[in-house]
């Protein structure tokens, strides 16, 4: 899209360009994965152009052009327009309109111009299915407390410590899987991720493990993960990621992979059945340990019958 020019309150002309960015998610053999380009360090994106009849049309066109992947389910995620989002010419503010897209694993095979990569490669502290990753207590806690203690006065030190405790579950607090963006932004503020020191004289001291991305694409990805982790609790969007038929265990494992938490199996099954979200196909599969497992499919009619909740997260106490 050609840059738009408007006058600011001070009367000066300001240019802005609009980009469209896609967080495309599938659950593959490596778990919850995101579609990337450019050596797996960027999300598919492109400018909104005059020839695009809508924002969604433009997004779909860019994703298909860059990756060969045709999008199905999409929803607008967030508009990023911070003052420091400056284009290469240093005279334009870049406004990025991001979208969350969900697709199935069987549609995730494709050309070498794209790569599916586990989102835990970018946020290794987010996967708590086997308990809290050791890096949370061994690395993150000490570095965040050091950053907090570097504050110039006591109220700021206390504020930083409290924010870290809430975000990462320190001091006996519960881990909230939805605070993905808050955790990343806290690490960014503490200059513990490489993106925080780009273009400046300071350098991140021993950047944390985790793959980086260009510009603020990792922040946008964190926003998408947080949205999906929240939305699977109140809307049945998880079925956009499931194959046409599946076992209860496959559904449970998908929800656990997305949330980074284990769920209580009997309670999870009871919630799904109470919501009447699935129906039996009458078939079984032998691809399980023990006796054949029943196959289910999403009951699409439920969307027309009432406002339906999502999968919930009856967390395991184990």
């Amino acid at each position: 899209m050609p840059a738009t020019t408007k006058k600011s309150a001070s009367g000066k002309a300001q240019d802005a360009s609009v980009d469209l960015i896609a967080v495309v998610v599938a659950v593959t053999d490596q778990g919850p994965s995101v579609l990337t380009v450019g050596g797996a360090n960027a999300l598919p994106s492109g400018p909104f152009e005059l020839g695009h009849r809508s924002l969604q049309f433009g997004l779909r066109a860019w994703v298909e052009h860059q990756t060969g992947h045709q999008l199905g389910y999409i929803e607008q995620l967030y508009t990023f327009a911070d003052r420091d989002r400056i284009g290469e010419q240093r005279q334009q503010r870049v406004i990025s309109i991001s979208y969350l897209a969900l697709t199935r694993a069987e549609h995730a095979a494709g050309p070498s111009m794209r790569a599916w990569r586990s989102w835990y490669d970018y946020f290794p502290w987010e996967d708590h299915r086997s308990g809290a990753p050791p890096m949370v207590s061994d690395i993150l806690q000490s570095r965040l407390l050091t950053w907090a203690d570097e504050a110039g006065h006591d109220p700021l030190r206390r504020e930083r410590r409290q924010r870290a405790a809430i975000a990462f579950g320190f001091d006996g607090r519960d881990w909230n899987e939805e605070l993905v963006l808050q955790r990343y932004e806290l690490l960014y503020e503490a200059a513990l991720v490489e993106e925080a020191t780009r273009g400046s004289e300071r350098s991140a001291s021993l950047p944390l493990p985790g793959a980086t991305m260009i510009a603020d694409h990792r922040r946008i990805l964190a926003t998408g993960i947080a949205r999906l982790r929240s939305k699977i609790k109140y809307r049945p969007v998880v079925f956009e990621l499931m194959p046409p038929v599946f076992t209860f265990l496959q559904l449970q494992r998908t929800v656990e992979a997305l949330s980074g938490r284990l769920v209580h199996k009997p309670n999870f099954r009871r919630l799904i059945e109470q919501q009447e979200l699935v129906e039996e196909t009458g078939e079984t599969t032998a691809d399980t340990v023990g006796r054949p497992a029943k196959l289910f499919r999403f009951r699409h009619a439920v969307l027309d019958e009432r406002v339906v909740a999502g999968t919930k997260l009856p967390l395991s106490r184990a």
Side-chain angles (χ1 to χ4, degrees), residues 33 38 99 124 141 149 155 185 217 225 227 266 269 282 299:
S33 301
Y99 285 81
Q141 187 166 13
D149 291 341
E185 289 188 331
H217 282 208
I225 297 172
R227 168 72 65 84
R269 185 181 186 112
R299 198 171 70 86

Side-chain angles (χ1 to χ4, degrees), residues 275-277 279 299-308:
Q275 288 286 321
E276 298 180 308
L277 295 176
E279 60 187 5
R299 198 171 70 86
H300 289 274
V302 76
L303 297 176
D304 300 323
E305 294 171 358
R306 66 187 187 280
V307 176
V308 63

Side-chain angles (χ1 to χ4, degrees), residues 6-14:
K6 293 184 178 180
K7 288 189 176 181
S8 66
S10 63
K12 295 181 179 179
Q14 292 184 326

Side-chain angles (χ1 to χ4, degrees), residues 151-162:
H153 50 83
D154 287 342
L156 182 56
R157 278 192 287 273
R158 288 194 295 270
E159 179 198 11
R160 287 182 173 183
R161 280 177 168 266
Q162 183 181 48

